[in-house]
Amino acid sequence: MELGPEDVAYIAHLARLQIDEQDVPLYARNLSEILRLVETMNAVDTDGVVPMAHPVDTAQPLRADEVTEADRREEFQRNAPAVADGLYLVPKVIE
Amino acid sequence: MRNSWETVIGLEIHAQLATRSKIFSGSSTAFGAAPNTQASAVDLGLPGVLPVLNGEVVRMAVKFGLATGAQIAERSVFARKNYFYPDLPKGYQISQYELPVVGHGSVTIATEEGSTRRIGLTRAHLEEDAGKSLHEDFEGLSGIDLNRAGTPLLEIVSEPDMRSAAEAVAYARKILSLVRYLEICDGNLQEGSFRCDANVSVRRRGDEELGTRAELKNINSFRFLEKAINFEIDRQIEVLESGGEVVQETRLYDAERNETRPMRSKEEANDYRYFPDPDLLPVVIDEDYIAAVRATLPELPDQKRQRFVDDFGLSDYDADLLTADRDTADYFERTARAANAEYKLSANWILGELSAHLNAGDLTISASPVPAESLGAMLNRILDRTISGKIAKEVFEAMWNGEGDADAIIEQRGLQQITDSGAIEQVVDEIIVANPQQAEQFRAGKEKILGFFVGQVMKATQGKANPAQVNDILRRRLQDPDS
Amino acid sequence: MSVLDKSIVELGAALAGGEVTSRELTEAALQRIADARTLNCFVTVCGEQALAQADAADARIRNGGGGPLTGIPLAHKDLFCTDGVKTSCGSRMLDNFIAPYDATVVARLKQAGCVMVGKTNMDEFAMGSSNENSYYGPVSNPWDVGKVPGGSSGGSAAAVAARLVPVATGTDTGGSIRQPAALCGITGLKPTYGRVSRYGMVAFASSLDQAGPLAKSAHECALLLGAMAGHDALDSTSLDLAVPDYVSALHDDISGLKIGLPREYFGGGLDSDVAAAVHAAVDVLVGLGAQVKEITLPRQDLSIPAYYVVAPAECSSNLSRFDGVRYGYRCANPVDLEDLYKRSRGEGFGAEVKRRIMVGTYVLSAGYYDAYYLKAQKMRQLICEDFQQAFAEVDVIAGPTSPSVAFARGERTDDPISMYLSDIYTNAANLAGLPGISVPCGFVNRLPVGLQIIGNHFTEQRILNVAHRYQLASDWHDARPPAAEAP
């Protein structure tokens, strides 16, 4: 798959990444190369093969329904860029 | 104009599961805590932390599946739904996509025409709730509270089987009643623990193909559900009849204006990039597990309703009302047990006097100041003729106001019914003597005048004379004063 | 020779015998770290905290409460969360992030009495094979400071090789422990997926990531793994299996051991001198009684393509949480929400991370999921089957860790594909969840060569045993790089 500048712009938007205009062609070239490498998989017939999501084949363990977490807001919010009244602040959310 | 169009509605209901802790962390799910005080490292999506599944949510989902006759997936998978939003801390929501825990099921609803309809359930899957954005007071900024992030939800998706807003409401009520019976959700619409989104489309009658649908959100009561759908039906018909096209979009319901309008933030087509969450393994549910959950299922509303009709001789209508929620049904059965198995009498009192009082006080039945056993005890006093039904209302009023149990109130206020025939006869005779003209009319065949005498006797006895006895004795003495 | 040249086996005995104190070892390590600052192995050095931990360890030893690791100084790769200490992942994004908890690996080693002297440099978010993708600058190879140390655990590998610390932790998503171990001439073990808890390890690709030890010898790796491994209720993918005594299995006889040499590991891309060193090492094992069998892993070539779908896909989602809202880098004066996201992420992440996020976003996006992601998952299944067929015939698989020795800094930075091919022999074990170890087995142009030994799931004791027997019969792992000399 050959990706053009519009593809890069669309993907970057989906991934919420600001890409400088002048870097777009390089990203387009790099991503296209990577996809070409990846597409060598297509040489293998995988019909009927069960997709493998996990290297280990076991079941999800289940936790007991118990409250084990205490309030650590103050500690956690020390890492936050902007807080007020215990809330994390962001530019206005429009619904 | 509406007649040439058919409405097609499917609902997506998000029921918050009534667990103590969150779906993937040990944080409390309690409502109303100070912002972010119930947001743990996992809920905040801090770097390096991992989700661990709460077993209780699986049990609750299986309960729901069994109660709706659904297939329970032997193997279900959590997937990530990727999108950016400030109330979604990880940049993805953990949900179930291709392999949900609960598959096809169904429920039956009563229609307006008095028949029943089967509504298909496409699936029910587990997922985590998002946090909340607050828009006030931050000068152009929004504040994010992640206390709700990670609260377990069961998303119940119906087939597009409903044909009117009323049916959609009946279906939603049915699901609400079910999740409450199962004790897997408290079903509080105002607090958002039971949320309905409606997919609404219209098509010309006879068309096979479904019309383009709009998804309605932000509906927090059944009344608004009905209004929002009806508004949307009219809007879509108007668009189509004026030659326009319905756009597939998410629309928010505005209760103040009673209208729906497109949601701005969802304008762009989302590409959620679902894929299996590598931090979680498949949930495996075996036959033994299912059998163990099945053994804990309570009697369900439909079964209970049928039993009330078959075993207690209640009308369909009364049985419906009494089984709409489990607390009411339990209250009814406890009352009747205390009232010598007089089901009809118990039902009448609960649906009449008690219900009126609860509504007036905006109380749920479990908050009733008159416990079921006390009501039953009072009904016994009617049955043993200590008081009449009319006096009972006075007694009930006193009980409601916390003046004690029925016997104490009857005793204190001297409300015992007069059942001594001698005493009644004496009063009757005095009244006949005092009203010779009316007595003559009765004897001349004017039956209706009897009511006058009953009234006089009751007045003289302050309502305490047993009405049946008064009738008997009056009749007898009027016909033949010496009898 | 410094005290840090000794193995942690010897140091443990010396500490227990009172011949040396943890404070002395820790001071020596801190001194070496300061002296070798130009190697750029560390993002954070925890001097005071380390000395306090050392004193506590000394007290514990004096009271007879220590274990084999009590008082041993070590360094953690800077993607393990460390309570109260910056955890940067080599990224501007987390340059200001102070973790409010310890990763399970960190907590367990702390519990065992290890002293954390600092956090090592790494490729940003563990994405890279040369340690050139760090916000904190590249790490130099102690054998030749113009060469890369490998990556992504390059800081840990170089720190151990340069004798700054006796041992270190790392993580391996596609070779990030084994490849830098090979390029720096030390021993590095990637355990079976699920053997070591991932809790508190900042995730790159969740179904591939695994933490492991880097040390001079297999014996030391065995000691360290014993303390790191085991079930953790906080990680659903950590398996609830007993942890064997890795040390006691080290000495087992390997006569009769069947070693498989995959034809595909000795093909075109392999440097012939590296191939010769690996064959010579295999001959040593044969001399110890092992039998060699040529095997085939037919879909091996496709592990790189499959890996470069699975890893970016998972990374694109794992790194979405870095959005400038709750922690980490936030751009200046965002005009709206979208601007906040795009600039915080655009400015906070480096080029390789952005590349992989975009590849991952693309392969998961509508219309491409089946062709890329699902296809890669199926390839993963086939690659796994190849290994299982091989393990029906042989006990372990041996081959080179990396197709070449350490390459020059800057040599591959403009060509992502050539960089990706550095991991051509290591990716497959991650896709299949298998344990693998790299041990030094010679030199090419005075740069170390690594022998990779891969075992079946949960057979760490076996590959450690083979590596240890090899190290008893060889001394490549004792070779000291020029940078190990005091300045």
Side-chain angles (χ1 to χ4, degrees):
Chain A
M1 180 65 75
E2 200 65 36
L3 297 184
E6 327 71 59
D7 299 314
V8 170
Y10 174 69
I11 299 164
H13 171 69
L14 260 187
R16 298 296 185 274
L17 291 171
Q18 175 86 40
I19 302 292
D20 289 341
E21 199 61 47
Q22 80 252 25
D23 295 339
V24 170
L26 181 62
Y27 275 107
R29 195 168 76 234
N30 285 159
L31 298 190
S32 300
E33 280 165 9
I34 294 167
L35 291 176
R36 271 198 298 278
L37 169 77
V38 158
E39 283 157 9
T40 56
M41 292 188 299
N42 295 339
V44 179
D45 179 11
T46 50
D47 274 3
V49 177
V50 179
M52 174 174 152
H54 253 285
V56 286
D57 189 22
T58 52
Q60 172 62 33
L62 301 176
R63 173 175 64 80
D65 180 25
E66 285 161 7
V67 176
T68 53
E69 297 291 333
D71 169 23
R72 297 179 65 193
R73 181 176 81 183
E74 203 189 316
E75 211 179 333
F76 291 153
Q77 293 196 338
R78 266 180 235 142
N79 276 306
V83 289
D85 301 345
L87 298 161
Y88 295 92
L89 296 185
V90 296
K92 192 106 184 146
V93 176
I94 300 159
E95 278 179 356
Chain B
M1 152 180 118
R2 237 172 122 159
N3 277 342
S4 57
W5 296 91
E6 183 183 41
T7 306
V8 177
I9 304 163
L11 292 191
E12 287 171 19
I13 292 175
H14 288 85
Q16 220 173 63
L17 295 176
T19 54
R20 284 189 283 272
S21 64
K22 291 186 180 176
I23 182 168
F24 297 120
S25 83
S27 302
S28 169
T29 54
F31 182 80
N36 292 308
T37 55
Q38 285 174 180
S40 69
V42 170
D43 311 322
L44 291 172
L46 291 186
V49 299
L50 297 168
V52 185
L53 182 60
N54 183 343
E56 190 61 13
V57 306
V58 176
R59 200 182 65 81
M60 288 178 168
V62 170
K63 248 178 141 176
F64 179 81
L66 293 175
T68 51
Q71 304 146 359
I72 306 298
E74 193 187 320
R75 195 170 159 279
S76 64
V77 169
F78 282 98
R80 292 184 183 177
K81 178 181 183 181
N82 295 283
Y83 64 97
F84 287 88
Y85 211 64
D87 65 13
L88 187 72
K90 298 183 295 295
Y92 58 83
Q93 178 193 30
I94 306 178
S95 181
Q96 295 189 308
Y97 186 53
E98 282 180 335
L99 297 170
V101 59
V102 176
H104 282 282
S106 69
V107 294
T108 303
I109 60 165
T111 64
E112 288 162 293
E113 298 81 38
S115 61
T116 60
R117 259 172 74 82
R118 189 175 162 282
I119 306 295
L121 297 174
T122 314
R123 59 187 282 167
H125 66 255
L126 290 165
E127 63 184 28
E128 57 180 346
D129 207 345
K132 281 180 180 164
S133 308
L134 307 166
H135 308 298
E136 316 82 45
D137 301 336
F138 301 108
E139 296 171 20
L141 299 173
S142 291
I144 309 297
D145 175 9
L146 296 170
N147 280 348
R148 202 181 63 182
T151 299
L153 299 177
L154 186 67
E155 180 173 339
I156 303 157
V157 182
S158 82
E159 295 286 314
D161 282 352
M162 288 150 275
R163 294 290 172 267
S164 69
E167 278 186 17
V169 171
Y171 164 79
R173 282 189 192 281
K174 188 78 191 194
I175 297 293
L176 178 72
S177 148
L178 205 51
V179 295
R180 280 183 173 160
Y181 262 77
L182 296 169
E183 294 177 324
I184 62 175
C185 172
D186 69 17
N188 189 324
L189 275 74
Q190 278 72 44
E191 285 179 11
S193 63
F194 188 89
R195 308 197 283 269
C196 302
D197 298 339
N199 287 312
V200 179
S201 65
V202 297
R203 62 181 169 194
R204 286 201 185 272
R205 261 182 217 291
D207 276 5
E208 288 283 304
E209 218 170 296
L210 289 175
T212 307
R213 67 191 158 84
E215 186 180 1
L216 310 184
K217 285 184 182 286
N218 197 36
I219 300 166
N220 61 11
S221 77
F222 290 140
R223 196 162 62 89
F224 291 156
L225 178 63
E226 186 155 8
K227 285 183 154 196
I229 292 172
N230 279 328
F231 173 87
E232 183 61 20
I233 294 170
D234 290 343
R235 187 190 70 85
Q236 289 188 12
I237 291 173
E238 208 174 293
V239 166
L240 293 170
E241 294 211 329
S242 60
E245 272 182 30
V246 173
V247 183
Q248 183 164 343
E249 63 186 353
T250 302
R251 300 177 69 87
L252 294 180
Y253 178 66
D254 182 335
E256 271 171 41
R257 297 185 190 178
N258 186 33
E259 62 175 30
T260 67
R261 58 165 187 272
M263 191 170 168
R264 277 194 281 170
S265 63
K266 296 265 170 132
E267 270 169 23
E268 66 175 279
N270 275 303
D271 185 343
Y272 291 125
R273 290 160 283 136
Y274 282 100
F275 75 106
D277 189 331
D279 287 332
L280 292 160
L281 299 165
V283 177
V284 176
I285 296 170
D286 61 20
E287 286 302 321
D288 290 348
Y289 184 94
I290 292 174
V293 175
R294 197 186 294 279
T296 68
L297 282 187
E299 185 183 31
L300 298 172
D302 288 350
Q303 298 165 336
K304 207 182 270 288
R305 190 185 155 283
Q306 203 53 51
R307 180 166 63 85
F308 282 13
V309 172
D310 294 347
D311 297 1
F312 302 161
L314 298 186
S315 69
D316 283 342
Y317 181 78
D318 285 359
D320 252 353
L321 292 175
L322 288 171
T323 55
D325 75 80
R326 194 169 162 179
D327 287 342
T328 304
D330 286 349
Y331 189 100
F332 163 72
E333 292 204 76
R334 293 210 315 273
T335 303
R337 210 174 300 135
N340 200 27
E342 283 294 330
Y343 297 105
K344 185 64 194 160
L345 180 68
S346 302
N348 288 346
W349 272 83
I350 290 167
L351 297 174
E353 210 62 15
L354 176 69
S355 199
H357 277 75
L358 290 173
N359 286 342
D362 198 20
L363 293 171
T364 62
I365 200 157
S366 41
S368 166
V370 179
E373 287 70 21
S374 304
L375 177 60
M378 189 202 76
L379 298 183
N380 270 330
R381 296 288 87 84
I382 300 177
L383 294 168
D384 68 12
R385 312 213 293 190
T386 306
I387 53 174
S388 66
K390 197 164 171 215
I391 290 291
K393 290 190 178 177
E394 184 185 340
V395 175
F396 179 84
E397 185 68 38
M399 287 166 74
W400 182 269
N401 294 326
E403 290 173 34
D405 64 22
D407 286 344
I409 292 164
I410 293 165
E411 179 64 39
Q412 215 176 332
R413 300 194 175 185
L415 297 175
Q416 291 91 341
Q417 199 159 227
I418 302 167
T419 51
D420 173 354
S421 1
I424 296 173
E425 272 174 27
Q426 198 182 326
V427 177
V428 166
D429 289 347
E430 281 166 19
I431 285 170
I432 292 173
V433 169
N435 299 284
Q437 217 175 329
Q438 284 84 349
E440 196 49 49
Q441 283 174 4
F442 179 83
R443 282 192 281 270
K446 194 175 176 195
E447 270 282 321
K448 270 171 139 184
I449 204 80
L450 188 66
F452 164 78
F453 282 103
V454 172
Q456 291 295 311
V457 174
M458 292 316 255
K459 195 173 162 193
T461 60
Q462 287 140 345
K464 291 185 286 186
N466 179 295
Q469 275 177 294
V470 171
N471 262 289
D472 279 0
I473 294 169
L474 265 173
R475 248 176 223 289
R476 190 152 44 80
R477 303 296 273 197
L478 282 167
Q479 296 295 353
D480 176 7
D482 299 324
S483 64
Chain C
M1 286 285 277
S2 102
V3 67
L4 296 170
D5 274 283
K6 294 187 191 301
S7 77
I8 60 168
V9 183
E10 296 165 290
L11 292 176
L15 283 162
E19 295 150 43
V20 70
T21 63
S22 178
R23 176 169 264 270
E24 285 164 357
L25 291 179
T26 303
E27 282 172 345
L30 292 170
Q31 187 59 51
R32 282 289 300 141
I33 292 167
D35 292 344
R37 201 168 288 142
T38 53
L39 292 176
N40 201 23
C41 294
F42 281 81
V43 172
T44 301
V45 180
C46 313
E48 264 178 51
Q49 182 184 315
L51 291 171
Q53 286 181 1
D55 290 344
D58 283 331
R60 195 166 151 189
I61 293 166
R62 276 197 306 278
N63 296 331
L69 292 171
T70 307
I72 301 289
L74 96 178
H76 287 299
K77 185 178 186 178
D78 205 20
L79 66 48
F80 289 99
C81 285
T82 43
D83 195 0
V85 175
K86 176 165 115 171
T87 299
S88 75
C89 281
S91 181
R92 182 185 195 188
M93 182 59 85
L94 291 179
D95 183 46
N96 58 3
F97 178 67
I98 310 292
Y101 41 78
D102 277 332
T104 299
V105 162
V106 171
R108 287 189 178 174
L109 290 171
K110 198 183 260 183
Q111 187 63 34
C114 289
V115 173
M116 179 179 78
V117 297
K119 308 285 296 287
T120 59
N121 203 345
M122 54 182 285
D123 281 301
E124 185 178 7
F125 285 103
M127 298 174 203
S129 309
S130 67
N131 228 299
E132 292 166 289
N133 298 336
S134 171
Y135 177 60
Y136 302 96
V139 175
S140 295
N141 190 313
W143 292 91
D144 176 347
V145 293
K147 299 280 198 283
V148 303
S152 64
S153 311
S156 285
V160 171
R163 275 52 174 175
L164 310 187
V165 280
V167 290
T169 58
T171 60
D172 191 317
T173 306
S176 281
I177 289 174
R178 292 161 290 160
Q179 187 256 15
L183 270 49
C184 289
I186 63 162
T187 307
L189 171 73
K190 176 202 113 59
T192 308
Y193 185 86
R195 179 75 284 184
V196 176
S197 169
R198 294 186 296 114
Y199 186 83
M201 255 170 70
V202 180
F204 160 15
S206 311
S207 77
L208 304 167
D209 295 342
Q210 191 59 195
L214 294 107
K216 293 181 290 296
S217 66
H219 193 160
E220 293 168 283
C221 286
L223 255 178
L224 221 51
L225 179 64
M228 294 166 75
H231 177 246
D232 178 8
L234 299 176
D235 176 3
S236 301
T237 63
S238 86
L239 267 71
D240 197 359
L241 287 174
V243 178
D245 182 348
Y246 296 114
V247 174
S248 73
L250 287 172
H251 300 279
D252 291 355
D253 191 1
I254 61 162
S255 61
L257 176 87
K258 287 191 228 103
I259 301 175
L261 297 185
R263 201 180 306 152
E264 296 78 9
Y265 279 31
F266 295 91
L270 180 63
D271 180 290
S272 59
D273 294 330
V274 170
V278 170
H279 280 302
V282 171
D283 289 343
V284 171
L285 292 172
V286 170
L288 294 170
Q291 299 163 12
V292 170
K293 188 172 173 18
E294 187 175 303
I295 57 165
T296 177
L297 298 170
R299 268 79 57 115
Q300 161 66 30
D301 289 352
L302 295 165
S303 63
I304 290 257
Y307 179 88
Y308 279 95
V309 172
V310 173
E314 292 183 10
C315 117
S316 71
S317 175
N318 281 335
L319 270 59
S320 291
R321 67 188 60 200
F322 303 106
D323 58 4
V325 175
R326 297 162 316 286
Y327 50 83
Y329 179 79
R330 173 181 282 203
C331 66
N333 309 316
V335 298
D336 58 20
L337 200 53
E338 189 166 308
D339 189 43
L340 168 76
Y341 286 145
K342 289 187 172 176
R343 279 200 296 125
S344 297
R345 291 166 59 76
E347 295 163 15
F349 292 135
E352 178 62 17
V353 170
K354 281 186 268 198
R355 247 189 316 263
R356 295 205 196 184
I357 289 174
M358 284 197 275
V359 170
T361 301
Y362 182 75
V363 299
L364 289 175
S365 64
Y368 300 101
Y369 181 89
D370 287 3
Y372 291 102
Y373 185 75
L374 208 60
K375 180 86 182 177
Q377 282 203 326
K378 291 178 175 183
M379 289 308 308
R380 197 173 178 180
Q381 188 74 265
L382 294 174
I383 289 161
C384 221
E385 283 171 13
D386 284 356
F387 274 117
Q388 288 317 313
Q389 268 166 26
F391 284 123
E393 295 178 49
V394 298
D395 300 311
V396 297
I397 291 168
T401 305
S402 179
S404 70
V405 293
F407 46 92
R409 189 155 51 239
E411 190 181 307
R412 299 183 186 176
T413 38
D414 292 337
D415 183 359
I417 304 290
S418 73
M419 190 69 89
Y420 295 174
L421 294 175
S422 310
D423 293 331
I424 189 155
Y425 304 131
T426 48
N427 281 174
N430 297 83
L431 290 169
L434 300 169
I437 191 168
S438 179
V439 292
C441 72
F443 287 86
V444 170
N445 300 329
R446 303 169 71 169
L447 290 167
V449 177
L451 164 74
Q452 180 177 213
I453 304 162
I454 298 170
N456 208 343
H457 295 118
F458 296 100
T459 62
E460 285 82 359
Q461 63 272 46
R462 195 59 167 156
I463 59 173
L464 282 163
N465 164 227
V466 176
H468 180 67
R469 295 300 299 213
Y470 174 73
Q471 290 182 333
L472 288 178
S474 66
D475 59 3
W476 303 112
H477 60 290
D478 290 329
R480 307 174 79 245
E485 304 305 329

